[in-house]
Amino acid sequence: MADHRRPRRRGQGELEALVLAALREADGPATAGWVQERLGEDLAYTTVVTILTRLLDKGEVSRERAGRSFAWTPADRAGLAARRMRGVLDAESDREAVLASFVTGLDPADERLLRDLLSQARAADEV
């Protein structure tokens, strides 16, 4: 007896994560066609392009012209995480409370690292 159930529909975030993972495995910028092949699933080319465009709008990928198409590159993870952290901070009305809560939750090694980075930034500003 044949199974005629429809395949499970994935959430948008799940597809975005799959596309980003594929891009991170590339040796350099990759086309939407390469991503589609890499995923090896029944995703339409247009679906992959739509996902890449959404990721571009979120700042999670960049693109450059490659012939008549585009080559896509994932954003730097550290920079992306920093943008997300700033977004959370900007969304709160009491920035001091958010920063205080963040800093008091750091382990000692991260706290030292943060202090060192702040000192370096101050020193660079004074030059």
Side-chain angles (χ1 to χ4, degrees):
M1 179 180 248
D3 186 1
H4 296 288
R5 289 181 295 174
R6 292 178 58 170
R8 179 181 74 83
R9 184 176 170 99
R10 285 187 210 90
Q12 175 181 325
E14 188 177 349
L15 285 174
E16 289 178 358
L18 288 170
V19 169
L20 275 173
L23 281 177
R24 288 190 177 108
E25 292 175 4
D27 292 331
T31 64
W34 183 91
V35 171
Q36 181 189 24
E37 282 180 30
R38 185 72 176 179
L39 294 176
E41 300 186 22
D42 296 328
L43 287 178
Y45 176 82
T46 54
T47 301
V48 173
V49 171
T50 298
I51 294 166
L52 286 165
T53 303
R54 287 180 183 156
L55 291 169
L56 178 68
D57 292 343
K58 293 178 180 182
E60 296 191 33
V61 298
S62 62
R63 71 180 182 188
E64 60 189 51
R65 191 54 90 171
R68 293 176 48 194
S69 186
F70 289 101
W72 304 81
T73 305
D76 168 56
R77 286 184 178 195
L80 182 57
R83 280 194 301 278
R84 287 179 180 156
M85 291 167 65
R86 279 192 301 274
V88 169
L89 182 61
D90 291 344
E92 295 299 323
S93 59
D94 191 349
R95 295 174 73 89
E96 183 177 346
V98 173
L99 286 170
S101 179
F102 176 74
V103 170
T104 58
L106 292 174
D107 66 45
D110 286 338
E111 186 178 336
R112 276 191 302 280
L113 177 59
L114 182 58
R115 287 179 192 278
D116 291 346
L117 291 169
L118 288 170
S119 293
Q120 290 172 15
R122 276 191 218 106
D125 286 344
E126 292 173 0
V127 173

